[in-house]
Amino acid sequence: MLELHLSVGDLARIHIVGSLGMAFESHLAWGRLGDQGRDALFEWRRTARHRLRRLPAARLRTRPSLSLAETLSSPRVHDGDAFHTVAVEPFWPRIHRLLNAERDACGRAMLDGGMEQVLNSRHDAVHWDAPILRIDSPQHPRRTALADRGMALAPSLFAPHPILIDDRMGWDGPPILVYNITPDAETATSLWQESEDESALHALLGRTRADVLAVLRETRSTGQIADRLQISSPSASKHLSILRRAGFVTTERRQNLAVHSLTPLGEAILR
């Protein structure tokens, strides 16, 4: 059991994030690949294992190259990470939407009942009884005072249980309480199975290029696209160049930034 002593200052400094990034989720996903049972990740495991078996053995890593805490400082996944490329990246836009929806649900809970309702409603293993937040977790039992540093709450699809990320895990920032969410059967199906429209667009353009096109429903800079899709800026620039030559994207300069928008043809292909 973890026990966190939260002062009034800590409560005021709690903030809720939608996602800790694709590298963070990929690290946790690696640990869930060997799980058994027909849970919400069953179809993901089946698909990921199938794709991984088709890769040359030389491309597979035996373990993630970064620690869980290090993924927070280096949120972009290394281009050579084959597990991430075949097992997480193809699903990331939908995973990201799910995590952002959970963040929005926290916001509604905050409006309805304040932080007390948020802390008592996100996970069965997390209980708030002022001034102590109790977390039923397999981590080493301890009682910690946050000393007015506050903390972050972050949902995760691949976390196996609530995880407290703090200095004991090599994290220098304010503590982060990660809690696992479990989508219902219908939502899980939509996560792992492409719609016909998505499948056709991915087949036509390639998955990442189709995702670049999709995020340009709003005008964005190259850096914003890279951050949104958790890819490198050079990779984003390459995909944008191809989409621009195809007539799907237009680019203009604004204060030394390259800003990209959909053309009428790009809008039409997304309908």
Side-chain angles (χ1 to χ4, degrees), residues 216-242:
L216 283 177
R217 286 188 171 97
E218 298 180 14
T219 298
R220 301 181 192 276
S221 69
T222 305
Q224 288 172 328
I225 294 168
D227 288 342
R228 184 84 173 184
L229 297 179
Q230 295 290 297
I231 60 178
S232 67
S233 291
S235 177
S237 294
K238 180 179 178 180
H239 290 302
L240 286 162
S241 177
I242 294 170

Side-chain angles (χ1 to χ4, degrees), residues 84-258:
H84 153 77
T85 300
V86 303
V88 178
E89 184 178 27
F91 308 108
W92 181 247
R94 280 167 278 167
I95 293 171
H96 199 251
R97 285 195 294 270
L98 176 71
L99 298 177
N100 281 338
E102 169 62 17
R103 177 201 59 197
D104 295 343
C106 286
R108 292 190 293 272
M110 173 75 83
L111 292 174
D112 288 342
M115 185 53 69
E116 179 178 1
Q117 181 164 327
V118 173
L119 295 175
N120 276 324
S121 64
R122 304 334 297 167
H123 197 283
D124 290 342
V126 178
H127 307 280
W128 169 245
D129 184 11
I132 303 298
L133 182 67
R134 293 181 172 86
I135 306 156
D136 189 2
S137 168
Q139 291 176 269
H140 184 72
R142 61 185 184 275
R143 185 166 186 168
T144 303
L146 298 190
D148 288 340
R149 291 178 297 161
M151 69 175 184
L153 292 177
S156 168
L157 178 61
F158 290 107
H161 49 72
I163 302 169
L164 179 65
I165 300 176
D166 59 6
D167 54 358
R168 296 200 181 192
M169 293 186 66
W171 174 240
D172 294 331
I176 304 170
L177 177 56
V178 178
Y179 62 94
N180 50 306
I181 60 174
T182 303
D184 58 34
E186 182 178 354
T187 301
T189 298
S190 69
L191 280 174
W192 315 128
Q193 295 181 3
E194 291 182 324
S195 68
E196 290 184 4
D197 289 343
E198 281 182 315
S199 181
L201 189 59
H202 288 161
L204 177 65
L205 299 177
R207 187 179 298 276
T208 302
R209 208 162 292 147
D211 291 338
V212 170
L213 201 65
V215 301
L216 283 177
R217 286 188 171 97
E218 298 180 14
T219 298
R220 301 181 192 276
S221 69
T222 305
Q224 288 172 328
I225 294 168
D227 288 342
R228 184 84 173 184
L229 297 179
Q230 295 290 297
I231 60 178
S232 67
S233 291
S235 177
S237 294
K238 180 179 178 180
H239 290 302
L240 286 162
S241 177
I242 294 170
L243 292 169
R244 187 165 50 247
R245 292 200 301 271
F248 297 138
V249 170
T250 182
T251 301
E252 61 178 301
R253 303 294 300 186
R254 294 183 188 173
Q255 298 180 344
N256 297 322
L257 286 177

